[in-house]
Amino acid sequence: MAISFTEENYLKVIHRLSEATSEDISTNAVAELMQTKAASVTDMLRKLAEKGWVNYQKYQGVRLSAEGEKIALSIVRKHRLWEVFLVDKMGFNWDEVHEIAEQLEHIESDQLIHKLDEYLGFPKTDPHGDPIPNKDGILPELAYSHLSDIKANKTCKLMGVAQDSAVFLQLLTKLNLSLGAKLAIQEINEFDRSIFVSINDAAPIFISHEVAKNILVKILA
């Protein structure tokens, strides 16, 4: 069954919202991420339901069907593989690739995506640390913690970000924070929960709680 770019974008947004809750997704939540009116979302959800890609009842929210989930994961897979390609092979910064990948993710060729995956060495995560579904739509399990939850005198490794806006990624770059960076927590400020942290054994700097809660890490010691 033919699918439009807009329909793919809706399925991807519903999938993204569903990752954070087991409840049905509201029309308003979809409208906010799609940057459109709730009435337009309602019309699209009806169309997606008619095609069997979502389970939708007016005033009760929406969930992806099994087929809709399969399509959404395929789009996520393509998006994240293209981001890896753009960073690792084309030299883009991690804050530059999202919009480009948004265009490339709509390429239909399964053969191209399989070859791309193979060419990149079957990566498990994208440049922001997000898991990449395999060809069967299975996501690798990643057990990461938020930097804001790590106690003082612990050492950890930066594995990803929970917020991948360009301005946030640019801030991390200015702070010399990138995937794989070693972070040694020196002190946690009791007043505002900001942290004093050494990055790759350099002189410690302060990082706000807002920034720390959007950094995903793995404890080393």
Side-chain angles (χ1 to χ4, degrees), residues 3 13 42 51 96 110 112 115 154 213 217-218:
I3 183 169
V13 161
T42 298
K51 292 186 175 184
E96 298 175 321
D110 290 335
L112 172 62
K115 290 289 187 182
K154 290 290 185 180
K213 75 179 185 181
V217 299
K218 179 173 67 176

Side-chain angles (χ1 to χ4, degrees), residues 147-150 187-197 205-214:
L147 180 60
S148 55
D149 295 331
I150 306 301
E187 180 185 341
I188 300 174
N189 189 305
E190 291 185 12
F191 175 70
D192 61 3
R193 305 300 296 167
S194 60
I195 64 173
F196 200 43
V197 57
I205 63 171
F206 273 107
I207 294 178
S208 72
H209 178 74
E210 185 67 23
V211 170
K213 75 179 185 181
N214 284 294

Side-chain angles (χ1 to χ4, degrees), residues 159-170:
M159 302 300 295
V161 291
Q163 216 271 59
D164 60 1
S165 69
V167 288
F168 180 65
L169 296 174
Q170 288 163 6

Side-chain angles (χ1 to χ4, degrees), residues 74-187:
S74 174
I75 300 163
V76 170
R77 169 176 163 79
K78 289 186 284 186
H79 182 100
R80 293 177 180 173
L81 283 173
W82 282 120
E83 287 193 333
V84 175
F85 174 77
L86 291 167
V87 170
D88 289 0
K89 304 301 181 182
M90 299 293 290
F92 284 88
N93 294 324
W94 65 343
D95 59 282
E96 298 175 321
V97 295
H98 179 75
E99 294 299 328
I100 304 172
E102 285 279 301
Q103 301 171 53
L104 294 170
E105 70 186 22
H106 298 294
I107 295 175
E108 292 185 14
S109 173
D110 290 335
Q111 183 181 14
L112 172 62
I113 299 306
H114 177 71
K115 290 289 187 182
L116 177 64
D117 194 13
E118 183 179 35
Y119 174 64
L120 296 172
F122 304 104
K124 301 296 183 184
T125 58
D126 72 8
H128 312 116
D130 293 319
I132 300 175
N134 67 14
K135 60 183 178 61
D136 298 316
I138 299 173
L139 285 161
E141 293 186 13
L142 306 175
Y144 299 155
S145 301
H146 294 269
L147 180 60
S148 55
D149 295 331
I150 306 301
K151 296 180 179 179
N153 301 316
K154 290 290 185 180
T155 301
C156 51
K157 182 178 180 180
L158 199 160
M159 302 300 295
V161 291
Q163 216 271 59
D164 60 1
S165 69
V167 288
F168 180 65
L169 296 174
Q170 288 163 6
L171 171 61
L172 296 190
T173 299
K174 289 180 180 178
L175 295 173
N176 292 321
L177 286 165
S178 59
L179 294 190
K182 186 177 76 171
L183 310 177
I185 314 302
Q186 307 289 329
E187 180 185 341

Side-chain angles (χ1 to χ4, degrees), residues 38-55:
S40 299
V41 172
T42 298
D43 291 340
M44 176 57 73
L45 295 182
R46 288 195 186 112
K47 294 177 183 177
L48 296 175
E50 288 172 1
K51 292 186 175 184
W53 294 334
V54 301
N55 299 311

